[in-house]
mmCIF file of all heavy atoms in Angstrom:
data_model
loop_
_atom_site.group_PDB
_atom_site.id
_atom_site.type_symbol
_atom_site.label_atom_id
_atom_site.label_comp_id
_atom_site.label_asym_id
_atom_site.label_seq_id
_atom_site.Cartn_x
_atom_site.Cartn_y
_atom_site.Cartn_z
ATOM 1 N N VAL X 123 13.164 4.365 -12.570
ATOM 2 C CA VAL X 123 12.422 5.613 -12.772
ATOM 3 C C VAL X 123 11.360 5.817 -11.690
ATOM 4 O O VAL X 123 11.101 6.941 -11.265
ATOM 5 C CB VAL X 123 11.786 5.594 -14.186
ATOM 6 C CG1 VAL X 123 10.729 6.663 -14.348
ATOM 7 C CG2 VAL X 123 12.885 5.748 -15.237
ATOM 8 N N GLN X 124 10.768 4.739 -11.199
ATOM 9 C CA GLN X 124 9.648 4.871 -10.274
ATOM 10 C C GLN X 124 10.064 4.737 -8.805
ATOM 11 O O GLN X 124 9.220 4.804 -7.910
ATOM 12 C CB GLN X 124 8.551 3.865 -10.656
ATOM 13 C CG GLN X 124 7.914 4.249 -11.998
ATOM 14 C CD GLN X 124 7.126 3.159 -12.685
ATOM 15 O OE1 GLN X 124 7.286 2.933 -13.873
ATOM 16 N NE2 GLN X 124 6.270 2.485 -11.946
ATOM 17 N N ALA X 125 11.369 4.553 -8.564
ATOM 18 C CA ALA X 125 11.854 4.494 -7.182
ATOM 19 C C ALA X 125 11.629 5.853 -6.521
ATOM 20 O O ALA X 125 11.758 6.896 -7.159
ATOM 21 C CB ALA X 125 13.340 4.149 -7.167
ATOM 22 N N GLN X 126 11.252 5.826 -5.245
ATOM 23 C CA GLN X 126 11.081 7.070 -4.469
ATOM 24 C C GLN X 126 11.759 6.837 -3.131
ATOM 25 O O GLN X 126 11.088 6.496 -2.136
ATOM 26 C CB GLN X 126 9.589 7.390 -4.279
ATOM 27 C CG GLN X 126 8.860 7.750 -5.556
ATOM 28 C CD GLN X 126 9.438 8.992 -6.221
ATOM 29 O OE1 GLN X 126 9.974 9.875 -5.566
ATOM 30 N NE2 GLN X 126 9.354 9.047 -7.545
ATOM 31 N N PRO X 127 13.091 6.990 -3.050
ATOM 32 C CA PRO X 127 13.829 6.668 -1.824
ATOM 33 C C PRO X 127 13.305 7.409 -0.602
ATOM 34 O O PRO X 127 13.370 6.884 0.513
ATOM 35 C CB PRO X 127 15.263 7.093 -2.141
ATOM 36 C CG PRO X 127 15.325 7.300 -3.615
ATOM 37 C CD PRO X 127 13.938 7.465 -4.134
ATOM 38 N N ALA X 128 12.724 8.609 -0.823
ATOM 39 C CA ALA X 128 12.202 9.368 0.329
ATOM 40 C C ALA X 128 11.065 8.606 1.006
ATOM 41 O O ALA X 128 10.766 8.838 2.176
ATOM 42 C CB ALA X 128 11.714 10.737 -0.136
ATOM 43 N N LEU X 129 10.411 7.705 0.280
ATOM 44 C CA LEU X 129 9.273 6.958 0.840
ATOM 45 C C LEU X 129 9.681 5.562 1.305
ATOM 46 O O LEU X 129 8.842 4.779 1.737
ATOM 47 C CB LEU X 129 8.162 6.856 -0.205
ATOM 48 C CG LEU X 129 7.567 8.205 -0.648
ATOM 49 C CD1 LEU X 129 6.530 8.011 -1.743
ATOM 50 C CD2 LEU X 129 6.940 8.928 0.531
ATOM 51 N N GLY X 130 10.950 5.244 1.208
ATOM 52 C CA GLY X 130 11.429 3.927 1.647
ATOM 53 C C GLY X 130 12.469 3.421 0.659
ATOM 54 O O GLY X 130 12.342 3.684 -0.535
ATOM 55 N N PRO X 131 13.469 2.670 1.158
ATOM 56 C CA PRO X 131 14.570 2.243 0.286
ATOM 57 C C PRO X 131 14.118 1.357 -0.874
ATOM 58 O O PRO X 131 14.729 1.375 -1.937
ATOM 59 C CB PRO X 131 15.505 1.480 1.235
ATOM 60 C CG PRO X 131 14.703 1.209 2.478
ATOM 61 C CD PRO X 131 13.637 2.242 2.545
ATOM 62 N N ASP X 132 13.033 0.604 -0.692
ATOM 63 C CA ASP X 132 12.576 -0.308 -1.747
ATOM 64 C C ASP X 132 11.283 0.164 -2.404
ATOM 65 O O ASP X 132 10.674 -0.565 -3.177
ATOM 66 C CB ASP X 132 12.347 -1.720 -1.174
ATOM 67 C CG ASP X 132 13.623 -2.285 -0.572
ATOM 68 O OD1 ASP X 132 14.697 -2.044 -1.160
ATOM 69 O OD2 ASP X 132 13.538 -2.931 0.502
ATOM 70 N N PHE X 133 10.846 1.380 -2.068
ATOM 71 C CA PHE X 133 9.545 1.832 -2.571
ATOM 72 C C PHE X 133 9.586 2.154 -4.066
ATOM 73 O O PHE X 133 10.429 2.905 -4.539
ATOM 74 C CB PHE X 133 9.054 3.060 -1.793
ATOM 75 C CG PHE X 133 7.683 3.495 -2.224
ATOM 76 C CD1 PHE X 133 6.557 2.825 -1.766
ATOM 77 C CD2 PHE X 133 7.522 4.540 -3.117
ATOM 78 C CE1 PHE X 133 5.289 3.193 -2.186
ATOM 79 C CE2 PHE X 133 6.255 4.927 -3.545
ATOM 80 C CZ PHE X 133 5.142 4.245 -3.082
ATOM 81 N N ILE X 134 8.667 1.561 -4.810
ATOM 82 C CA ILE X 134 8.511 1.835 -6.241
ATOM 83 C C ILE X 134 7.096 2.377 -6.430
ATOM 84 O O ILE X 134 6.130 1.722 -6.023
ATOM 85 C CB ILE X 134 8.642 0.531 -7.088
ATOM 86 C CG1 ILE X 134 9.912 -0.253 -6.754
ATOM 87 C CG2 ILE X 134 8.540 0.829 -8.586
ATOM 88 C CD1 ILE X 134 11.178 0.349 -7.236
ATOM 89 N N ARG X 135 6.966 3.545 -7.048
ATOM 90 C CA ARG X 135 5.631 4.116 -7.249
ATOM 91 C C ARG X 135 4.883 3.326 -8.314
ATOM 92 O O ARG X 135 5.355 3.155 -9.431
ATOM 93 C CB ARG X 135 5.751 5.582 -7.706
ATOM 94 C CG ARG X 135 4.410 6.217 -8.081
ATOM 95 C CD ARG X 135 3.443 6.274 -6.920
ATOM 96 N NE ARG X 135 3.912 7.192 -5.879
ATOM 97 C CZ ARG X 135 3.375 7.230 -4.647
ATOM 98 N NH1 ARG X 135 2.377 6.430 -4.318
ATOM 99 N NH2 ARG X 135 3.858 8.068 -3.746
ATOM 100 N N ASN X 136 3.702 2.847 -7.940
ATOM 101 C CA ASN X 136 2.810 2.172 -8.874
ATOM 102 C C ASN X 136 1.400 2.695 -8.651
ATOM 103 O O ASN X 136 1.099 3.225 -7.585
ATOM 104 C CB ASN X 136 2.842 0.648 -8.629
ATOM 105 C CG ASN X 136 3.928 0.007 -9.463
ATOM 106 O OD1 ASN X 136 3.938 0.124 -10.687
ATOM 107 N ND2 ASN X 136 4.869 -0.638 -8.799
ATOM 108 N N PRO X 137 0.532 2.555 -9.635
ATOM 109 C CA PRO X 137 -0.837 3.022 -9.439
ATOM 110 C C PRO X 137 -1.519 2.263 -8.304
ATOM 111 O O PRO X 137 -1.208 1.098 -8.034
ATOM 112 C CB PRO X 137 -1.513 2.693 -10.782
ATOM 113 C CG PRO X 137 -0.399 2.573 -11.763
ATOM 114 C CD PRO X 137 0.767 2.031 -10.994
ATOM 115 N N ASP X 138 -2.476 2.947 -7.632
ATOM 116 C CA ASP X 138 -3.321 2.273 -6.641
ATOM 117 C C ASP X 138 -4.402 1.469 -7.365
ATOM 118 O O ASP X 138 -4.908 0.480 -6.830
ATOM 119 C CB ASP X 138 -3.975 3.308 -5.717
ATOM 120 C CG ASP X 138 -2.921 4.074 -4.927
ATOM 121 O OD1 ASP X 138 -2.172 3.429 -4.180
ATOM 122 O OD2 ASP X 138 -2.824 5.309 -5.093
ATOM 123 N N LEU X 139 -4.776 1.955 -8.545
ATOM 124 C CA LEU X 139 -5.791 1.268 -9.354
ATOM 125 C C LEU X 139 -5.514 1.553 -10.828
ATOM 126 O O LEU X 139 -5.197 2.686 -11.195
ATOM 127 C CB LEU X 139 -7.193 1.786 -8.980
ATOM 128 C CG LEU X 139 -8.359 1.329 -9.861
ATOM 129 C CD1 LEU X 139 -8.592 -0.179 -9.725
ATOM 130 C CD2 LEU X 139 -9.646 2.081 -9.484
ATOM 131 N N THR X 140 -5.648 0.518 -11.636
ATOM 132 C CA THR X 140 -5.526 0.686 -13.092
ATOM 133 C C THR X 140 -6.825 0.221 -13.728
ATOM 134 O O THR X 140 -7.223 -0.941 -13.591
ATOM 135 C CB THR X 140 -4.329 -0.129 -13.623
ATOM 136 O OG1 THR X 140 -3.145 0.411 -13.048
ATOM 137 C CG2 THR X 140 -4.242 -0.036 -15.145
ATOM 138 N N ILE X 141 -7.497 1.171 -14.391
ATOM 139 C CA ILE X 141 -8.738 0.856 -15.097
ATOM 140 C C ILE X 141 -8.331 0.442 -16.513
ATOM 141 O O ILE X 141 -7.791 1.253 -17.272
ATOM 142 C CB ILE X 141 -9.644 2.111 -15.181
ATOM 143 C CG1 ILE X 141 -9.895 2.701 -13.785
ATOM 144 C CG2 ILE X 141 -10.922 1.810 -15.942
ATOM 145 C CD1 ILE X 141 -11.032 2.146 -13.040
ATOM 146 N N TRP X 142 -8.597 -0.803 -16.833
ATOM 147 C CA TRP X 142 -8.169 -1.347 -18.138
ATOM 148 C C TRP X 142 -9.397 -1.513 -19.032
ATOM 149 O O TRP X 142 -10.248 -2.351 -18.761
ATOM 150 C CB TRP X 142 -7.457 -2.677 -17.919
ATOM 151 C CG TRP X 142 -7.178 -3.472 -19.150
ATOM 152 C CD1 TRP X 142 -6.869 -2.992 -20.401
ATOM 153 C CD2 TRP X 142 -7.191 -4.905 -19.269
ATOM 154 N NE1 TRP X 142 -6.677 -4.038 -21.278
ATOM 155 C CE2 TRP X 142 -6.877 -5.219 -20.609
ATOM 156 C CE3 TRP X 142 -7.440 -5.938 -18.368
ATOM 157 C CZ2 TRP X 142 -6.799 -6.535 -21.070
ATOM 158 C CZ3 TRP X 142 -7.365 -7.250 -18.820
ATOM 159 C CH2 TRP X 142 -7.034 -7.539 -20.158
ATOM 160 N N PHE X 143 -9.485 -0.680 -20.068
ATOM 161 C CA PHE X 143 -10.582 -0.740 -21.036
ATOM 162 C C PHE X 143 -10.247 -1.823 -22.049
ATOM 163 O O PHE X 143 -9.375 -1.635 -22.896
ATOM 164 C CB PHE X 143 -10.767 0.620 -21.726
ATOM 165 C CG PHE X 143 -11.188 1.706 -20.773
ATOM 166 C CD1 PHE X 143 -10.243 2.497 -20.130
ATOM 167 C CD2 PHE X 143 -12.537 1.921 -20.497
ATOM 168 C CE1 PHE X 143 -10.631 3.483 -19.238
ATOM 169 C CE2 PHE X 143 -12.920 2.899 -19.596
ATOM 170 C CZ PHE X 143 -11.968 3.684 -18.969
ATOM 171 N N ASP X 144 -10.940 -2.935 -21.925
ATOM 172 C CA ASP X 144 -10.634 -4.092 -22.769
ATOM 173 C C ASP X 144 -11.740 -4.277 -23.809
ATOM 174 O O ASP X 144 -12.921 -4.305 -23.447
ATOM 175 C CB ASP X 144 -10.534 -5.330 -21.864
ATOM 176 C CG ASP X 144 -10.004 -6.541 -22.606
ATOM 177 O OD1 ASP X 144 -9.283 -6.359 -23.619
ATOM 178 O OD2 ASP X 144 -10.298 -7.673 -22.180
ATOM 179 N N LEU X 145 -11.339 -4.358 -25.081
ATOM 180 C CA LEU X 145 -12.326 -4.665 -26.125
ATOM 181 C C LEU X 145 -11.608 -5.308 -27.303
ATOM 182 O O LEU X 145 -10.390 -5.171 -27.439
ATOM 183 C CB LEU X 145 -13.123 -3.422 -26.551
ATOM 184 C CG LEU X 145 -12.592 -2.469 -27.604
ATOM 185 C CD1 LEU X 145 -13.657 -1.457 -27.958
ATOM 186 C CD2 LEU X 145 -11.350 -1.783 -27.124
ATOM 187 N N PRO X 146 -12.351 -6.052 -28.142
ATOM 188 C CA PRO X 146 -11.717 -6.739 -29.268
ATOM 189 C C PRO X 146 -11.020 -5.730 -30.205
ATOM 190 O O PRO X 146 -11.538 -4.623 -30.422
ATOM 191 C CB PRO X 146 -12.891 -7.424 -29.979
ATOM 192 C CG PRO X 146 -13.968 -7.529 -28.942
ATOM 193 C CD PRO X 146 -13.797 -6.339 -28.061
ATOM 194 N N THR X 147 -9.886 -6.156 -30.735
ATOM 195 C CA THR X 147 -9.102 -5.235 -31.581
ATOM 196 C C THR X 147 -9.899 -4.783 -32.801
ATOM 197 O O THR X 147 -9.749 -3.650 -33.245
ATOM 198 C CB THR X 147 -7.790 -5.896 -32.051
ATOM 199 O OG1 THR X 147 -8.103 -7.166 -32.625
ATOM 200 C CG2 THR X 147 -6.826 -6.095 -30.901
ATOM 201 N N GLU X 148 -10.780 -5.657 -33.330
ATOM 202 C CA GLU X 148 -11.515 -5.242 -34.539
ATOM 203 C C GLU X 148 -12.530 -4.143 -34.220
ATOM 204 O O GLU X 148 -12.777 -3.257 -35.044
ATOM 205 C CB GLU X 148 -12.169 -6.431 -35.266
ATOM 206 C CG GLU X 148 -13.118 -7.277 -34.450
ATOM 207 C CD GLU X 148 -12.422 -8.390 -33.653
ATOM 208 O OE1 GLU X 148 -11.182 -8.341 -33.482
ATOM 209 O OE2 GLU X 148 -13.139 -9.296 -33.176
ATOM 210 N N VAL X 149 -13.077 -4.159 -33.010
ATOM 211 C CA VAL X 149 -14.022 -3.102 -32.616
ATOM 212 C C VAL X 149 -13.259 -1.784 -32.432
ATOM 213 O O VAL X 149 -13.697 -0.716 -32.880
ATOM 214 C CB VAL X 149 -14.766 -3.477 -31.312
ATOM 215 C CG1 VAL X 149 -15.728 -2.379 -30.894
ATOM 216 C CG2 VAL X 149 -15.493 -4.805 -31.479
ATOM 217 N N ALA X 150 -12.081 -1.871 -31.807
ATOM 218 C CA ALA X 150 -11.262 -0.668 -31.618
ATOM 219 C C ALA X 150 -10.856 -0.087 -32.974
ATOM 220 O O ALA X 150 -10.885 1.136 -33.167
ATOM 221 C CB ALA X 150 -10.020 -1.009 -30.795
ATOM 222 N N ALA X 151 -10.507 -0.952 -33.923
ATOM 223 C CA ALA X 151 -10.092 -0.491 -35.248
ATOM 224 C C ALA X 151 -11.231 0.243 -35.947
ATOM 225 O O ALA X 151 -11.019 1.289 -36.579
ATOM 226 C CB ALA X 151 -9.625 -1.683 -36.086
ATOM 227 N N GLU X 152 -12.447 -0.260 -35.810
ATOM 228 C CA GLU X 152 -13.614 0.418 -36.419
ATOM 229 C C GLU X 152 -13.811 1.800 -35.805
ATOM 230 O O GLU X 152 -14.102 2.764 -36.499
ATOM 231 C CB GLU X 152 -14.889 -0.393 -36.151
ATOM 232 C CG GLU X 152 -15.150 -1.476 -37.172
ATOM 233 C CD GLU X 152 -16.261 -2.417 -36.693
ATOM 234 O OE1 GLU X 152 -17.181 -1.959 -35.981
ATOM 235 O OE2 GLU X 152 -16.162 -3.615 -37.020
ATOM 236 N N ARG X 153 -13.633 1.874 -34.474
ATOM 237 C CA ARG X 153 -13.837 3.163 -33.789
ATOM 238 C C ARG X 153 -12.778 4.173 -34.211
ATOM 239 O O ARG X 153 -13.037 5.366 -34.269
ATOM 240 C CB ARG X 153 -13.766 2.979 -32.274
ATOM 241 C CG ARG X 153 -14.950 2.233 -31.723
ATOM 242 C CD ARG X 153 -14.873 2.277 -30.210
ATOM 243 N NE ARG X 153 -15.881 1.418 -29.603
ATOM 244 C CZ ARG X 153 -15.926 1.142 -28.310
ATOM 245 N NH1 ARG X 153 -15.040 1.653 -27.496
ATOM 246 N NH2 ARG X 153 -16.866 0.366 -27.828
ATOM 247 N N LEU X 154 -11.552 3.668 -34.459
ATOM 248 C CA LEU X 154 -10.451 4.573 -34.800
ATOM 249 C C LEU X 154 -10.528 5.054 -36.247
ATOM 250 O O LEU X 154 -10.076 6.148 -36.557
ATOM 251 C CB LEU X 154 -9.108 3.843 -34.647
ATOM 252 C CG LEU X 154 -8.323 3.960 -33.356
ATOM 253 C CD1 LEU X 154 -6.964 3.323 -33.543
ATOM 254 C CD2 LEU X 154 -8.182 5.406 -32.902
ATOM 255 N N ALA X 155 -11.104 4.218 -37.115
ATOM 256 C CA ALA X 155 -11.069 4.480 -38.560
ATOM 257 C C ALA X 155 -11.616 5.870 -38.875
ATOM 258 O O ALA X 155 -12.733 6.209 -38.490
ATOM 259 C CB ALA X 155 -11.867 3.411 -39.293
ATOM 260 N N GLY X 156 -10.802 6.669 -39.533
ATOM 261 C CA GLY X 156 -11.238 7.978 -39.994
ATOM 262 C C GLY X 156 -11.389 9.009 -38.900
ATOM 263 O O GLY X 156 -11.855 10.118 -39.150
ATOM 264 N N ALA X 157 -10.999 8.683 -37.668
ATOM 265 C CA ALA X 157 -11.188 9.622 -36.566
ATOM 266 C C ALA X 157 -10.339 10.884 -36.755
ATOM 267 O O ALA X 157 -10.780 11.985 -36.524
ATOM 268 C CB ALA X 157 -10.862 8.952 -35.240
ATOM 269 N N ARG X 158 -9.095 10.719 -37.170
ATOM 270 C CA ARG X 158 -8.174 11.853 -37.354
ATOM 271 C C ARG X 158 -6.904 11.319 -37.990
ATOM 272 O O ARG X 158 -6.788 10.121 -38.225
ATOM 273 C CB ARG X 158 -7.858 12.513 -36.013
ATOM 274 C CG ARG X 158 -7.244 11.504 -35.061
ATOM 275 C CD ARG X 158 -6.932 12.070 -33.707
ATOM 276 N NE ARG X 158 -6.623 10.938 -32.827
ATOM 277 C CZ ARG X 158 -6.382 11.027 -31.554
ATOM 278 N NH1 ARG X 158 -6.402 12.198 -30.983
ATOM 279 N NH2 ARG X 158 -6.096 9.969 -30.834
ATOM 280 N N VAL X 159 -5.909 12.199 -38.210
ATOM 281 C CA VAL X 159 -4.645 11.735 -38.777
ATOM 282 C C VAL X 159 -3.952 10.880 -37.715
ATOM 283 O O VAL X 159 -3.714 11.341 -36.604
ATOM 284 C CB VAL X 159 -3.742 12.934 -39.151
ATOM 285 C CG1 VAL X 159 -2.429 12.433 -39.751
ATOM 286 C CG2 VAL X 159 -4.474 13.862 -40.101
ATOM 287 N N PRO X 160 -3.653 9.610 -38.043
ATOM 288 C CA PRO X 160 -3.096 8.722 -37.012
ATOM 289 C C PRO X 160 -1.635 9.033 -36.681
ATOM 290 O O PRO X 160 -0.884 9.488 -37.545
ATOM 291 C CB PRO X 160 -3.213 7.332 -37.651
ATOM 292 C CG PRO X 160 -3.252 7.569 -39.115
ATOM 293 C CD PRO X 160 -3.847 8.930 -39.325
ATOM 294 N N ASP X 161 -1.236 8.790 -35.417
ATOM 295 C CA ASP X 161 0.177 8.923 -35.046
ATOM 296 C C ASP X 161 0.901 7.605 -35.325
ATOM 297 O O ASP X 161 0.329 6.684 -35.903
ATOM 298 C CB ASP X 161 0.321 9.421 -33.597
ATOM 299 C CG ASP X 161 -0.247 8.438 -32.573
ATOM 300 O OD1 ASP X 161 -0.126 7.218 -32.781
ATOM 301 O OD2 ASP X 161 -0.797 8.912 -31.555
ATOM 302 N N ARG X 162 2.161 7.504 -34.884
ATOM 303 C CA ARG X 162 3.005 6.340 -35.174
ATOM 304 C C ARG X 162 2.433 5.036 -34.609
ATOM 305 O O ARG X 162 2.754 3.947 -35.088
ATOM 306 C CB ARG X 162 4.385 6.562 -34.518
ATOM 307 C CG ARG X 162 5.507 6.691 -35.496
ATOM 308 C CD ARG X 162 6.781 7.262 -34.913
ATOM 309 N NE ARG X 162 7.076 7.118 -33.524
ATOM 310 C CZ ARG X 162 7.771 6.118 -32.970
ATOM 311 N NH1 ARG X 162 8.234 5.140 -33.705
ATOM 312 N NH2 ARG X 162 8.023 6.107 -31.676
#
Side-chain angles (χ1 to χ4, degrees):
V123 166
Q124 292 163 227
Q126 293 299 331
L129 298 177
D132 300 322
F133 184 79
I134 308 288
R135 174 62 67 193
N136 271 302
D138 297 300
L139 171 66
T140 296
I141 305 273
W142 170 34
F143 296 91
D144 189 25
L145 85 172
T147 51
E148 57 274 16
V149 179
E152 273 168 32
R153 290 188 188 171
L154 265 188
R158 58 181 168 184
V159 180
D161 63 36
R162 245 165 26 91

